[in-house]
Amino acid sequence: MRPLSDAATWWHNAVIYQLYPLSYADGDGDGTGDLGGIIQRLDHLTDTLGVDAVWLSPFYPSPLADHGYDVADYTDVDPRFGDLANFDRLVDEAHRRGLRVIVDWVPNHTSDQHPWFVQSRSSADNPRRDWYYWRDPKPDGSPPNNWVSSVRGSAWEYDEASGQYYLHSYLPQQPDLNWRNPAVRAAMLDVLRFWLDRGVDGFRIDVAHRIMKDPQLRDNPTNPDRISDYYKPINDEYLSQRHIHDRAHPDVHGVYRQIRALLDGYDGDRMAMGEIHLADLADWAAFYGTQSDELHLALNFWLTGAAWTPTAIREAVEAVEAALPQGAAPTLVLGNHDYHRLASRIGQAQARIAAMLLLTLRGAPLIFQGDEIGLTDVAVPEDRRRDRFGEPGGRWSRDGARTPMQWTSGPHAGFSPAHTEQTWLPLSPDYERNNVQAQLDDPASLLWLYRRLITYRTASPALLDGSYASVGGVPHACLAYLRKAGSDAVFVALNFGDEPQEVDLPGAGVVALSTAGTRNETVEGSVRLAANEGVCVELS
Ligand code: NOJ
């Protein structure tokens, strides 16, 4: 972590921690996390990990149909989480510790309980009718076009009262806002101003590419090759179409240019990072703008679905690097609240390799809450499931990756106070053994590795701002790359296999960091890697 005043373009290489407020820390004992709990546990982010910024998933008033990604009021705090005074305190406390605060902004859709939608739905001539997409049925009564929801079924919901359909790209409880209506745009930009005025340092923009659709709402063509741009299993119906009309219309770039100008108009360095699920890297990279005048960071999801092999990872990193506009910083996402847990996908041994990869690539790494202690997916019994995306016909349930943080071996893993009846999702049965406290007590733990990697990175010009170059001629089980800034050069070698390997070095150096413990070793000509070991070699 660096002092707040330090970096003009801090987001370029900031380590960002994604905090899932429902599951981080429960201060008031109702079984769900809250802002008070977050404040109590800020030290984990600053003193233990030393990250630069925290991104908070939504804490706004919400019926929680999609756990906060269905916002019923963009400018308040849901009472479950606290109130605006708690939020202001959180920002103050974070800033005092040198930690920047990024909040989630969900522009594509509101909750169906948002007063805007309640009004819009109330009658066909309500002034807010056009804030959402309302259309007549086709003559046979079917939906206005063939668009499908990312969750399941048609993206259109029929409203008996008015005899029209409304559009929802996700759940029916999440109606899509009509961004072509200037009043919607103005109201949503005011939301940004509201949080900027409260001192936030930036925004994570939910499904940033979706907000502009084909003005004529034409049918999507079919997708005979079934190419997925989500890099994850998705419902068959969604995969059966090429999504060229229901999102990412070129007009979307005008919106982000306007948002960039708004952010640039504020003092300090406020930023926006967008969640962009587009397989075509040119389309994805376009969100940085042609003149660096759109998003500061466009999150890339290729690695969440790529095979965990050196070849697949190298291919992804090189492709992303090649697609990036001059001067832009990448963010290759390894996991978040929408995916299976990283350690469940690749195993605990490779979770250490993932940590080194994440924190030694170029750009701004994102750590998803709990990955720093290797949390795995929890099998949530049916009667305690929460995620509606996981209901029949939808995608998998994301509950398993959203379970409460494991702080101690005490009651409720230290997530909730002892008197709490039940946490909102069950804890992993392994919490007595695997928790933050236990890992802090063990210098060989994954948590200590994250901590050492962040400390090392923060002091390394090559890792912070250096160039990236893949290194060829290494064993098949290994990935190697060179990060270089002036005379500072760090050679990273990662062993993805269960056998020891020898990797050639371009000269001599010192093993500054290993995923397997302290080595402090001088090496020349090559470096030996144990099974599942990764190293950073500082070249002399
Ligand atoms: C992406 C979010 O990460 C996910 O959790 C949510 O369900 C969808 N966007 C819809 O808002």
Side-chain angles (χ1 to χ4, degrees), residues 73-85:
D73 181 351
Y74 286 103
T75 55
D76 205 349
V77 172
D78 192 290
R80 276 185 204 87
F81 296 112
D83 56 22
L84 282 169

Side-chain angles (χ1 to χ4, degrees), residues 58-200:
F59 48 80
Y60 314 112
S62 165
L64 299 190
D66 188 15
H67 294 98
Y69 287 96
D70 49 324
V71 180
D73 181 351
Y74 286 103
T75 55
D76 205 349
V77 172
D78 192 290
R80 276 185 204 87
F81 296 112
D83 56 22
L84 282 169
N86 295 135
F87 181 80
D88 292 342
R89 217 183 113 221
L90 195 160
V91 172
D92 285 351
E93 293 278 344
H95 284 171
R96 201 167 56 72
R97 291 164 158 90
L99 180 71
R100 306 213 182 231
V101 179
I102 297 168
V103 296
D104 225 300
W105 183 61
V106 188
N108 182 66
H109 43 266
T110 67
S111 160
D112 63 348
Q113 305 299 308
H114 195 296
W116 296 344
F117 187 71
V118 173
Q119 289 164 32
S120 182
R121 182 175 221 166
S122 66
S123 78
D125 52 12
N126 185 280
R128 288 240 158 81
R129 188 70 169 180
D130 187 47
W131 279 44
Y132 296 82
Y133 290 95
W134 288 97
R135 293 291 183 278
D136 288 333
K138 284 192 180 152
D140 66 357
S142 63
N145 67 20
N146 72 350
W147 296 358
V148 291
S149 139
S150 288
V151 184
R152 70 181 77 78
S154 168
W156 295 94
E157 183 77 0
Y158 186 63
D159 177 58
E160 292 281 349
S162 61
Q164 286 196 309
Y165 283 90
Y166 68 85
L167 180 68
H168 58 89
S169 295
Y170 293 87
L171 295 168
Q173 294 87 347
Q174 296 169 290
D176 282 31
L177 279 166
N178 173 13
W179 269 83
R180 294 194 181 271
N181 182 331
V184 167
R185 200 191 273 221
M188 288 303 289
L189 296 195
D190 277 349
V191 171
L192 295 177
R193 292 188 188 94
F194 177 88
W195 294 105
L196 289 166
D197 291 341
R198 293 198 106 85
V200 306

Side-chain angles (χ1 to χ4, degrees), residues 55 66 69-70 106 109 170 174 204 206-207 275 277 336-338 389 398 402:
W55 147 34
D66 188 15
Y69 287 96
D70 49 324
V106 188
H109 43 266
Y170 293 87
Q174 296 169 290
R204 175 268 188 186
D206 191 64
V207 288
E275 181 195 25
H277 289 283
N336 67 25
H337 61 292
D338 294 330
F389 283 32
R398 299 164 296 178
R402 298 174 172 184

